[in-house]
Amino acid sequence: MAGVNVKEITLIVIVVVACYWNSLSCGFVFDDVSAILDNKDLHPSTPLVNLFQNDFWGTPMSEERSHKSYRPLTVLTFRLNYLFSELNAVFYHLLNLILHSLVCVVFLKVCKLFLDSESSLVASLLFAVHPIHTEAVTGVVGRAELLSSIFFLAAFLSYTKSKGPDNTIVWTPIAVAVFLVAVATLCKEQGITVVGICCIYEVFIAQGYTLPVLWGTLMQILRGKGSIPYSVLQSLLKLIVLMFSTLLLVVVRVQVIQSQLPVFTRFDNPAAVSPTPARQLTFNYLLPINAWLLLNPSELCCDWTMGTIPLVESLLDIRNLATIVFFCFLGSLIVFSVRYPGDSSKAVLMALCLIVLPFIPASNLFFPVGFVVAERVLYVPSMGFCILVAHGWRKLSSKSRLKKLSWICLVVVLFTHGLKTLHRNWEWESEYTLFMSALKVNKNNAKLWNNVGHALENEKSYERALKFFLQATHVQPDDIGAHMNVGRTYKNLDRAKEAEDSYMIAKSLMPQVIPGRKYAARVAPNHLNVYINLANLIRANESRLEEADQLYRQAISMRPDFKQAYISRGELLLKMNKPLKAKEAYLRALELDELNADLWYNLAIVYIELKDPTEALKNFNRALELNPNHKLALFNSALLMQESGDARLRPEAKKRLLTYIEEEPQDANGYFNLGMLAMDNKKDAEAEAWMKKAIKLQAGFRSALFNLALLYSQGGREMLALPVLEELLHHHPDHIKGLILKGDILMNQKKDINGARKCFEKILELDPNNVQGKHNLCVVYFEEQDLLKAEKCLVETLALAPHEEYIQRHLSIVRSKIVTLNASGQSSLPAGGGITAVEEEKKTLFENLKDRETVQRATPSTNSNLNKGQSKKQLDKNSSGKETKKKSTKEIKDIEKKRVAALKRLEEIERILNGE
């Protein structure tokens, strides 16, 4: 880079690193959370085109809640960071540090156009260490300022080369400048203001005009005493090109935001909604406030909204003197810079251009902004300030009496500013340290109290968070968000009554509906979440479901495009057993966001409720097309395939479950269902391995323990099944099927009749009407050769199930045997008599036991973030693994086949016992 030597670059980089090295230890704080942690546009799975359709925070520009900040190139750099380091904050901060160093070097080159080398280096060093830049450099979202500034300065440098010999026009630098302006604007909106700087440079610097000369030339032309000079014509042509390019960029920008301004509330910028003259007086007073921050950055604050700066409501307010002094000083500098020729006036003019023009988008001059003061928007204006300071320092140091003093002052300023920047970086280490440091500067900003509460809430310190949220409501009693935060914290503390009261206060503060006036334009979109939060709270009470539904419908009536209201209402309607209405709600939400995988998943759950597994599977597949790693869709679609009984779907079901356990390696349910699939495929060894993995992850996993025991029993390894059943019954002593299986093994394999009886008696204690347990106890009596007791037992069992033919047959057999024994004068069965037959009978009867237990969960998912700290619904972790009551068609057919086989076998037993 011509004009900037290696020593200067090295010095600047060293100074920047010395001031900002500790920023590498900072995390993601404040706006970083929304722009990076919660922004899906950073993920590789998100189509790249989304970056050019969404705003800086990942919200579609078409949505009214969008911030309308269109910075796709900045988001692209975040995405590249994510690609190489995901969410490792160190690399995000490192890139910001590198970009700030680059800005300082390019700024040095610009300074050398108007200042001598020594003054230019002073200006660049002062810019490098100025504490006002910590928000732009240490705050990751400040990258928008850094990137925009690089292309902003590069565009200006390119334009300065557009003047050729004999005042000819060199078009290539102009074309490059226009391109760089467009790139700067795609990094941040203020990039377009460099066009104004180029225009002023062209007239007053490149052509060397002063205001009196221009005025004289214009008067001569109007009086017809002279023609337009060639240099003026050349400048006019260049300015027309610049203006046309700017107009084109503005038109494109307006189209991108769909001719809509973002919605801000009086809490974001109180002056913007204040009446005359408070609005004008306050906006003008904010200018000296910003100037003071540049001059004396001793008290910095990350958030200047709400009550930080009280409104200037009267002409008699003493603060108006600051405004008057500021405009007098600014006016005198402007007059000096445009009236008198010379290098000094040129330096002052370009410094003023850099201060004023880039600040215009944040000045509320053309449209209201969402803040009162924002330190990061002073990043480019501070360049002009640094040029002014460096130029003034040169004037002082050129005088021999003040030279030594000026150098001492310069060193002190650079050293103190560097220390302040270093200290300020530590304050940006975490959200708690950042907002607590802000409260030291200003205690009248309710948003700061809220943000400290959010930081504590994220650490699960709800009691401490509640104190800060309550203080926010005291500082700003009409702050809707503060009351919502109080309500949410009460809910987290399981204090439902206080939570509802707080939500009701927030709801009462909402603006009333005015007929014929669009409601959405008068309230912040996130404030409508009070209806969602209140409805979510009260719907826990089954008697208030209709009341909750009314709140969802009220939110929808206020904002028909309120997607989250449709999602939450769909969940409620499912809970109310109204799947058709739930389907309508989700379809409406899909009209608003058809690329939302969670919505397709929720619709699949509705189809499961509607007993339409085919459509459910289609919607699960649609969700997985949009998000191949959607855990809920992977898990539940695999279960749906598994339960369909279609062997052709099993490989895909297994594939999805394997993907699921990659995403959730600690969820035992994934391994359990892989085991069930292996059982379906008759792969006993594989099934055993998966079941053991599930049990290892979740001790006492009910379904896994039972099915592993059943697997051993079916494979003829009953002795291995017994300790598994012991573990099952240790954790779940009321597991009836486990008791039946254990009784079977004890009686048939270990010949422990007494142990078997205890199992069946335990079943009847748990469920006196359990037919299978009662019948098996009757078999025990028969095995013990107590025919009378067996007869009585079977009579009682028949009373419980009068239509069960096999019980009637067994009762007939026992009675026939009693008659036979009585006739022969025997008091008991002969040794071994009928035992084999009874064992065969029991073996057949226990076939009905071998019915699989499964775990299925179908939980609607939501992609909203209603309040800070609230996250998506996760899988319903049914650790008990309760057996599903509903069986698939295939399972029912298998059971019927076994029942028919059992009846045939009973006929054979009857013939054997009758001596046929």
Side-chain angles (χ1 to χ4, degrees), residues 54-69:
N54 298 343
D55 67 13
F56 187 55
W57 317 97
T59 305
M61 296 292 288
S62 58
E63 293 189 14
E64 194 164 7
R65 64 188 180 93
S66 168
H67 196 272
K68 309 300 180 186
S69 48

Side-chain angles (χ1 to χ4, degrees), residues 361-390:
S363 67
N364 293 280
L365 182 63
F366 297 110
F367 48 82
V369 294
F371 53 84
V372 178
V373 173
E375 293 167 11
R376 63 173 173 262
V377 303
L378 293 174
Y379 189 77
V380 176
S382 68
M383 295 178 183
F385 172 78
C386 292
I387 290 176
L388 273 181
V389 172

Side-chain angles (χ1 to χ4, degrees), residues 70 341 379 455 485 562 608 687 738 840 866:
Y70 188 65
Y379 189 77
N485 292 333
F562 194 5
I608 287 178
E840 290 295 324
L866 299 183

Side-chain angles (χ1 to χ4, degrees), residues 632-692:
L632 289 168
L634 284 167
F635 186 83
N636 284 290
S637 63
L639 288 188
L640 201 61
M641 293 175 175
Q642 184 179 356
E643 294 185 351
S644 70
D646 189 344
R648 294 171 298 178
L649 296 177
R650 288 176 190 164
E652 179 62 23
K654 181 178 180 179
K655 179 182 175 182
R656 294 187 182 187
L657 285 172
L658 288 171
T659 304
Y660 173 76
I661 61 174
E662 288 179 8
E663 297 290 321
E664 288 285 340
Q666 298 303 312
D667 185 10
N669 292 306
Y671 300 97
F672 165 73
N673 282 284
L674 280 166
M676 298 303 293
L677 268 176
M679 286 181 71
D680 286 339
N681 291 323
K682 310 300 182 186
K683 296 180 179 180
D684 292 355
E686 183 182 341
E688 180 182 355
W690 289 123
M691 292 296 182
K692 285 182 176 178

